[in-house]
Amino acid sequence: MNSGALRGVALDLDGTLLRSDHSVSARMRSLCSALIRQGILLTLISSRPPRSVEEIARGLGLEGPWAALNGAFVVGAGREILDRSPLPEASVERLLSRYGRDERVSLNLYAGFDWIVQAIDDRVRGEVDIIGFAPTVDVGFASRPATEKILMITDEGSDDGARIAGELEALDDDVAVARSKPNYIEITRSEIDKGRALALIAASRGLSAREMAAAGDGENDVPLLRACGYPIAMGHGPRSLRQIAELVVGSNDDDSLTDALGRLFGLLPSR
């Protein structure tokens, strides 16, 4: 695609926009400001909870639109909810019944801006360290509201993430299963993914998804890259992602994505 036809860019967060210490580099911040000044639609599409995505967006000077929860929660300017797609209640009940006491996983429920867990364990503490705030504890999820996403966290370095993802795909046709990391299993309503979120965000600004570039690094970014007009994969991403990319860049710690976007939009920042 001719880069001159691109009118926006969507960025995944962890492993893409964010460095390994979960910060945004000074050069990337400069580029984001330049894109906004040029009238380029800059948006964030992440599996993170809304509160975390909103905080990062504000830090970049973005009021919206952006998407959280792997595309199940899409927000416009002024916190206007553009789309909210809860999981079917019957599916949530089945998943909690099957995995609620499974020691292989820590269950996390996301309902709008709320993050709910049954207990604070080491896996949940690791997520707290990443996103910067703590969840609400509700033993047994007794009073849960409508839930947009369930995150199952397994132990790093084990095969449980792949094994449980396979179990889930065979278990319930009403849910979509994706992994943002090998040990992070993201469960949303069927047909909900980052590609759909990109189309909704683009349409909210009178654009099509094909007028957007997009960058990501995880299995859950495959729909995002398939939907956009110029797909960019991080070099550490899985082969399934790199195979569909127009461009593969380096690490999220080396500003190679900053350089690529700067060239793509004619705004290469100075070193």
Side-chain angles (χ1 to χ4, degrees), residues 101-155:
R101 297 184 179 181
D102 191 327
E103 294 183 354
R104 297 174 299 171
V105 300
S106 297
L107 287 175
N108 301 259
L109 271 56
Y110 298 92
F113 283 84
D114 295 325
W115 172 22
I116 308 166
V117 299
Q118 297 192 94
I120 305 290
D121 59 17
D122 287 343
R123 299 170 186 139
V124 172
R125 290 188 188 96
E127 182 68 357
V128 170
D129 289 342
I130 292 171
I131 64 175
F133 65 92
T136 299
V137 176
D138 181 3
V139 179
F141 299 117
S143 57
R144 69 178 185 275
T147 301
E148 278 82 31
K149 190 186 85 167
I150 296 175
L151 168 65
M152 295 185 180
I153 306 177
T154 65
D155 289 330

Side-chain angles (χ1 to χ4, degrees), residues 59 146 154 184 190 234 260-261:
T154 65
Y184 273 45
S190 181
M234 305 303 293
L261 293 174

Side-chain angles (χ1 to χ4, degrees), residues 99 104-105 152-170 177-186 219:
Y99 293 100
R104 297 174 299 171
V105 300
M152 295 185 180
I153 306 177
T154 65
D155 289 330
E156 291 187 45
S158 77
D159 295 328
D160 289 336
R163 190 175 297 114
I164 293 171
E167 293 173 7
L168 289 166
E169 288 170 352
V177 180
R179 286 192 294 163
S180 53
K181 296 192 290 189
N183 65 318
Y184 273 45
I185 306 162
E186 315 273 352
E219 289 180 9

